[in-house]
Structure formats: structure tokens, C-alpha cells
Amino acid sequence: MSDVTAASAWASVKGRATVNLSILFSELPLLERPAAAAALGFTAAELWWPFGTESTPGEAELDQLRKAFSDAGVRLTGLNFLDDLSVGAKGTASVPAESDRFRENIPVAVALAESLGAGALNAIYGNRVPDATAAEQDELALENLTRAAQAAHAIGAVLLIEALNRNDAPDYPLHTAAAAVEVVDRINAATGLGNAKFLLDLYHLAVNGEDLEAVIDTHADKVGHVQIADFPGRNEPGTGTLDLAGLLDRLTAAGYTGPIGLEYKPASGVSADSFEWLPRELRAAQAG
């Protein structure tokens, strides 16, 4: 594909690309990743919770991360609350044993997001656990996510709720767009703020066999963030079977104009080699 053709195909990404630095550039130390992304023309990035199982990292660690972003001239667009994804827990919001740590993390994550300009915080719901019923976990999640939504609202941010794929997260209860949107609606009803939104990850929903066009047509008005990877493989666009450019055009036509997160694994294992699909002139994000 020529640069002209690629620029036309991916026009809907212009000014909206944000690189997920937890999965891309992971061959580098975390503090080197913002500069690596900037060197390739990106000006915005997102992160899973970057401090492992630490719910309240020290100020020195937080300042180092802030400096890495500011020195690189990269704005943070999205941040996960404490998620413990590194140990396969798939979030903490609904897990009784992790509830205190989730609550401790809320002000820390919100302050970090605000300091780096992020307008979205993602709360991974948490797996079902044997020592609590589904109803008990859902009640706890609503309480915790209400707190998170209120804290996010205080800095003008949205709270994101995401569906994950059942292969990687079989014990995670939100496997469909409808299930995630139902949680979004519950949070908004509880807070009255309207700042809970659906994180539409096209890869996860593709793994689960959802009709992606129908999801867009049905739920576009609830979408607060989008993430992409091709299917199968979770690699860069063009390595699988999804018409990601067409799906993003459809989202844009449906009214979604927010960030588009590049949350994929580079097929070659080298992140810098995985962006040929997106011409450099389309990589920089609009400010704000």
C-alpha cells in the first residue's frame, strides 16, 4: 500500500492515535517508552496501571514517570486504575479481597492522570471469585466504580468499562459489549454524572465473535475510548482479517471522535517496525 493510499485508508485516525505503552515498546524500560514513541511521530500514549501490584507507589516513582512523559513531549490520554494484569487477575474493582487496595488507588491514579492530561481512566472489572456470589461482586463493583466515576469527574475525566475476551479472561464476567454497557448504565444511574463510558476494544470483541458493525451501530453513543488490534493474533493492522479502517470510519460516522488506542503486539517483536500501516503524518494527536 502506497503512503497516499494508506493516508486515505486511515484518515479517521489522524489526530487521534494514542500508543499503548504497556504493550508496545515493552522491549524497553517503561521510562524510555514515551521518548521512543515520540521519535516515531506519536504525541499521545496510554497505559495500563504501570506499577504492578503497588496501589500507592511512592512520589519518586510517580515523578519519574511524569518526567519521562513531559521530557518526551507526550501527553497521557488514558490510564488504568490498579488492575494487576501482570498476575492474571483482570482487575480489582469487584474482588472483595482487593477492594481496599482499589479504593486506595483511586486518588493516586486520578492525580497521576490529571498531572499528565489524561481524560480517561479505565477500571478493569475483576474476575469472578469462589468466595463471593456474582450478586455480591456486582454490588461491590457498583460501589467502587461509583467512587471512581466521582473522582474522575472531579478532574473532568471519564470512567471506562471494558469487555475482555473469554479466551484470555474466562472468569471475567464482561465478555460482550452489552454486558459492559449495562455496567456503564448502572454507574451513571448511581452517580447522575453521565461520565461512565464503554471502552470499545475491537480485538476483544472479535475474539468473542461479536458482530462489530452491529456493536458500533448499537452502542456508539456510549463509547468513551477505542482500542484496536487485528484478529487473530492481536498484532498490528493488516496482519489479520479485520477491516479496522472501515470499522473506525463507521465509528466516526456514528459520532465517535475520541482517541484511538493502538493496543497491539508487534508481529515482529520490534515495536518500531510495526507502524508502517500508519503514515507518519497521521500519528500526532491533537492537543487537549
Side-chain angles (χ1 to χ4, degrees):
M1 183 181 293
S2 70
D3 287 347
V4 172
T5 303
S8 176
W10 295 102
S12 60
V13 181
K14 185 177 182 180
R16 302 165 66 187
T18 180
V19 182
N20 189 297
L21 295 182
S22 296
I23 190 169
L24 281 160
F25 299 103
S26 60
E27 62 269 32
L28 298 174
L30 175 63
L31 298 181
E32 295 179 16
R33 297 177 200 173
L40 293 173
F42 293 100
T43 61
E46 60 186 29
L47 285 170
W48 303 337
W49 181 245
F51 301 105
T53 59
E54 291 183 77
S55 59
T56 56
E59 200 60 35
E61 287 182 275
L62 294 166
D63 284 343
Q64 285 181 327
L65 186 62
R66 293 186 182 103
K67 187 175 187 301
F69 272 82
S70 61
D71 286 353
V74 173
R75 178 172 57 88
L76 188 70
T77 56
L79 176 68
N80 282 18
F81 287 106
L82 177 70
D83 48 35
D84 286 8
L85 295 181
S86 61
V87 294
K90 305 303 180 190
T92 55
S94 69
V95 181
E98 299 292 343
S99 182
D100 288 345
R101 295 201 314 125
F102 179 85
R103 294 179 186 183
E104 291 170 354
N105 178 248
I106 290 173
V108 180
V110 168
L112 179 59
E114 182 180 29
S115 68
L116 290 173
L121 289 117
N122 183 24
I124 308 296
Y125 198 80
N127 287 340
R128 293 303 193 204
V129 294
D131 57 347
T133 66
E136 289 169 339
Q137 284 195 256
D138 291 340
E139 182 179 356
L140 177 63
L142 181 58
E143 183 178 347
N144 284 336
L145 295 171
T146 295
R147 294 181 182 216
Q150 290 166 337
H153 183 265
I155 66 166
V158 299
L159 174 73
L160 300 172
I161 302 298
E162 181 176 11
L164 301 181
N165 79 76
R166 58 175 56 92
N167 291 349
D168 293 339
D171 297 321
Y172 190 81
L174 310 181
H175 286 150
T176 65
V181 168
E182 182 179 351
V183 173
V184 165
D185 289 343
R186 279 198 234 115
I187 298 166
N188 286 332
T191 66
L193 298 173
N195 72 320
K197 299 287 184 179
F198 173 41
L199 195 167
L200 172 56
D201 186 308
L202 293 169
Y203 169 77
H204 284 307
L205 296 185
V207 173
N208 292 338
E210 290 221 50
D211 181 333
L212 300 181
E213 292 186 350
V215 167
I216 290 168
D217 294 345
T218 303
H219 299 298
D221 62 326
K222 301 289 180 71
V223 174
H225 190 70
V226 172
Q227 291 174 333
I228 65 170
D230 216 332
F231 169 81
R234 201 178 187 178
N235 303 128
E236 60 265 29
T239 57
T241 61
L242 294 183
D243 177 17
L244 289 168
L247 290 167
L248 294 177
D249 286 345
R250 193 181 192 96
L251 263 167
T252 301
Y256 176 73
T257 58
I260 296 169
L262 313 185
E263 194 190 47
Y264 59 76
K265 299 180 293 184
S268 69
V270 179
S271 297
D273 296 339
S274 71
F275 300 110
E276 291 186 3
W277 62 276
L278 186 64
R280 190 180 181 99
E281 65 267 24
L282 301 185
R283 296 176 188 176
Q286 295 176 348

